[in-house]
Amino acid sequence: MESSQISSNSTATDRINSALATLRRDMLDLRQQDVQLMQQLIRINANIKTLTKRRPNSGRQRKTKYSLLNGRKKFISLNESIPEEDSSSADSDSDASLSGNDN
């Protein structure tokens, strides 16, 4: 009876050792994937920083103005001219323009 217990114990031990070896391989594969993903994220972050530095007006607010055309606000760029039929226009930075006071 002892020999059957020894053989069943050794097969159980072999199965456990085999499962542990499989887990170790899987964990090593996951670690390699993790390192690759981290390297990829670092490269993406560096590219984003480079592109952000190249952009004109990065980090600066663009100044715009608006004109009232037929009772509706229309945003226009600073170098764009205001149509002649529009008599009320103001910079978007002006508090008076937001309240509608023309003082």
Side-chain angles (χ1 to χ4, degrees), residues 51-89:
L51 292 172
T52 303
K53 286 179 185 176
R54 286 185 194 170
R55 274 181 59 190
N57 298 329
S58 64
R60 286 184 255 152
Q61 291 181 348
R62 297 184 72 191
K63 290 195 174 211
T64 58
K65 58 184 176 180
Y66 68 90
S67 67
L68 291 176
L69 188 59
N70 297 328
R72 302 183 83 180
K73 283 185 184 179
K74 178 186 173 201
F75 287 94
I76 57 175
S77 64
L78 289 177
N79 57 356
E80 188 178 349
S81 63
I82 300 170
E84 285 193 26
E85 68 263 6
D86 183 8
S87 61
S88 61
S89 67

Side-chain angles (χ1 to χ4, degrees), residues 2-16:
E2 286 181 27
S3 65
S4 67
Q5 282 182 338
I6 291 173
S7 70
S8 68
N9 283 342
S10 67
T11 57
T13 303
D14 290 341
R15 285 196 315 257
I16 291 172

Side-chain angles (χ1 to χ4, degrees), residues 42-55:
I42 289 170
R43 284 191 305 268
I44 290 170
N45 187 35
N47 288 338
I48 289 171
K49 285 183 179 182
T50 301
L51 292 172
T52 303
K53 286 179 185 176
R54 286 185 194 170
R55 274 181 59 190

